[in-house]
Amino acid sequence: MSSLSSLVNLKDFSLKTLGSFFLQTQEIKNNPLAFRVKDPNRTAGLLFFEPSTRTRFSFESACARVGVTPLTLSGIESTSLVKGESFEDTIRNIAAMDPDVMIIRGGDQLDLDGLSKTSDYSIVNAGWGMRGHPTQALLDLYTLWEKEKEDLHGKKLLFVGDVIHSRVVSSHLEVAKALSLQVGFCGPKSFLPNKAAHQIFDSLNDALHWCDHVMFLRVQKERHENQSDLANYSQSYGLTRENIQFLKPTSFVMHPGPINYGVELESWIHENPRSLILQQVTNGVHIRQSLLYSIFQTRGLT
Ligand code: CP
């Protein structure tokens, strides 16, 4: 694929770029040994200032598979952040150890845009406040692309739940137009944007009937001041064995994780053939291999 030195957002991803990135990812799945960094001394700083299971482990796995050593900061308790050192100083000091790429998860206060413009190393956004989670959107779309025989043109993608707090949705919206996707939102009014250039549904049954595929979103309880919005959430917006029947026979169910069981979904979803949730996780490793390989290739290190 064309050169990629950092990944902070997906705004510049065209249909062609996405297509070649997904094809590369597919080749990596089929032949991982052909996509390794040759120099054994290459490192990636994984700076996870906020909790993560899927993203952190899959980046570590991706590093191992492409032959890059991950240097992981996981949580702030074991670092000098607890002594009052700032995020900026933490990043500056780890950067002084000369990693090739810094993979960063943190809050909106970080300046990943600024870092990507001014740093010698590459920057990867691994979940940035509410601004975006580009590798999650890429792995979601890649998972659908595989199922849809490599063509997502005109598909209707429904997001159910906590849309306004979702960095996953933010990243999806950056590429929806390039892919000619139709986007729909369903949830309580207080969970949805006031003005949206997208289809809005109050009824989950109607929304499930409309879409080609559905992504349930974690209700971010910690971000809601009005807890009354949450009290009856699952009755109206949770997937049940009854309302799943409103989906088309070809529709799949997704969730970026972590799931609130009994709120968005029930654990039976994992036994249901419509679920792509664990395939999303598996593909998360391949998408991140593909990303790291592209970045190291752009840096002339493959
Ligand atoms: N989807 C996702 O970002 O999960 P983690 O928070 O576990 O990384």
Side-chain angles (χ1 to χ4, degrees), residues 48 51-56 105 126 133 136 167 256-258 288:
F48 278 69
S52 167
T53 299
R54 280 148 290 271
T55 312
R56 181 169 69 81
R105 167 166 292 195
H133 193 352
Q136 181 68 46
R167 58 191 175 204
R288 289 164 179 135

Side-chain angles (χ1 to χ4, degrees), residues 263-279:
V263 181
E264 303 105 43
L265 297 173
E266 303 282 350
S267 57
W268 56 259
I269 193 63
H270 293 298
E271 277 78 56
N272 191 292
R274 289 182 183 279
S275 172
L276 293 182
I277 295 167
L278 292 178
Q279 287 180 52

Side-chain angles (χ1 to χ4, degrees), residues 219-231:
V219 174
Q220 301 188 33
K221 296 174 186 167
E222 66 280 11
R223 297 193 199 264
H224 286 274
E225 281 171 21
N226 186 357
Q227 295 290 314
S228 65
D229 289 342
L230 310 179

